[in-house]
Amino acid sequence: MSFEDMYPIFGRVIAEWSAPPPHTTPSAPFLFRVHGNGGDHSALRVIATDFHSNTFQAIKSRQQLEDLRDDIGIGGSWSEFLDYVTTSLKSGDVKLIMEGLSTSGGAGYAKLIAQKAKGMPRITFSLNKLVDGAAGEAMANLALELYKEFKDVQSSLIEEQESKYLLTKVVAAEQEKNVTLQKQLDMVLYSKKHKSQKINDRESDSTSVMGSQDSPDKHAAQDPSSRKGANRVVPAHRRSKVRGAVLNDPEDDGA
């Protein structure tokens, strides 16, 4: 792994004086940028500026970084060391300590100190003062790179918003489709339920009619033999003679 693969790191920090000179005014906020150094992919460049009278820079070669690694006692592979450096610079625990006085104004030099977490080794970069054209060029490069970073973030945000908008449209279309399908399903279920109810009503009416046709009263009313037997008249020759009738005496008939 080399610093060519490292995404530039930007940060903001309030500088502190190691020993504040007399009559110093409060320090302005500093911006810093850490990135690979041009064509030397194993080197690291650090720039910190307040865009006024204090602009500092450090370029660390691979060998200088190896020495730094030995000084702070970080083991493991080279890639693990680079990961530790970048993680420390991205953490919230980054300080800029200014020291000495410069004839051009401001501090003579500074140190950028980064720590991954409390109790872990500190990464310290000693920064030299830049003046005149070198300072102006460093400030211009940092400003342009910062603007580029802003545009990259803005483009990513716009793409994300567009993707979110398209996704919202897809979700809305699917919801509308689901509502339509649900209505169609409700209509089919209602139609089936209504048809089933009509069939049940017909079966119920048919059962009632059949029940009335099979009732005993109706059978009795419709049975002619039953009605005839109930109203039949006994023939005269089979009727019992009326009590008290006068019987004829055969002898009297012969007389």
Side-chain angles (χ1 to χ4, degrees):
M1 177 181 177
S2 66
F3 286 108
E4 180 188 19
D5 304 321
M6 186 186 77
Y7 201 74
I9 301 171
F10 292 89
R12 179 181 181 273
V13 64
I14 301 297
E16 303 174 9
W17 285 91
S18 60
H23 310 296
T24 56
T25 58
S27 300
F30 276 72
L31 293 181
F32 67 86
R33 180 177 182 248
V34 181
H35 60 100
N37 183 41
D40 188 357
H41 303 318
S42 63
L44 192 67
R45 186 182 187 188
V46 181
I47 296 176
T49 180
D50 62 358
F51 294 95
H52 292 289
S53 57
N54 291 300
T55 299
F56 306 99
Q57 174 183 270
I59 297 177
K60 300 295 182 180
S61 67
R62 170 70 180 263
Q63 185 58 53
Q64 289 174 319
L65 292 172
E66 289 281 10
D67 294 340
L68 175 63
R69 178 184 179 189
D70 294 337
D71 291 341
I72 61 181
I74 297 180
S77 66
W78 173 250
S79 296
E80 290 173 339
F81 171 67
L82 296 188
D83 287 339
Y84 185 84
V85 171
T86 56
T87 304
S88 299
L89 291 168
K90 291 178 181 179
S91 72
D93 191 4
V94 179
K95 296 179 180 179
L96 183 67
I97 307 299
M98 296 190 299
E99 298 178 344
L101 291 175
S102 171
T103 56
S104 61
Y109 55 95
K111 291 181 179 179
L112 186 70
I113 303 173
Q115 188 175 23
K116 182 177 180 180
K118 187 176 181 180
M120 299 189 72
R122 294 181 179 182
I123 304 294
T124 302
F125 296 105
S126 296
L127 310 177
N128 296 319
K129 179 92 171 188
L130 294 179
V131 296
D132 302 331
E137 181 182 358
M139 288 187 284
N141 288 336
L142 191 149
L144 289 174
E145 291 297 328
L146 188 61
Y147 176 76
K148 181 181 177 182
E149 175 77 6
F150 164 73
K151 295 301 292 184
D152 289 343
V153 172
Q154 186 182 51
S155 297
S156 299
L157 179 60
I158 291 174
E159 290 178 3
E160 183 178 350
Q161 289 176 338
E162 289 177 350
S163 299
K164 182 179 179 181
Y165 174 72
L166 293 176
L167 182 60
T168 302
K169 290 184 65 177
V170 171
V171 171
E174 287 297 324
Q175 289 177 342
E176 185 177 355
K177 182 179 178 181
N178 290 338
V179 170
T180 302
L181 291 176
Q182 185 62 47
K183 289 181 179 179
Q184 293 176 351
L185 179 60
D186 291 342
M187 291 178 64
V188 171
L189 293 176
Y190 175 78
S191 178
K192 288 184 176 180
K193 183 178 179 181
H194 185 66
K195 185 176 181 180
S196 177
Q197 184 64 40
K198 290 179 68 177
I199 293 174
N200 291 336
D201 293 342
R202 289 175 183 174
E203 290 179 351
S204 177
D205 293 342
S206 177
T207 302
S208 299
V209 171
M210 291 177 64
S212 63
Q213 289 176 349
D214 294 338
S215 64
D217 294 340
K218 188 163 186 180
H219 278 292
Q222 293 178 351
D223 189 351
S225 60
S226 175
R227 186 169 57 253
K228 184 177 179 181
N231 299 323
R232 186 173 58 188
V233 179
V234 179
H237 67 276
R238 295 180 58 185
R239 295 178 186 172
S240 298
K241 293 184 179 181
V242 179
R243 183 179 298 175
V246 180
L247 298 178
N248 293 326
D249 189 349
E251 296 182 353
D252 291 338
D253 293 335

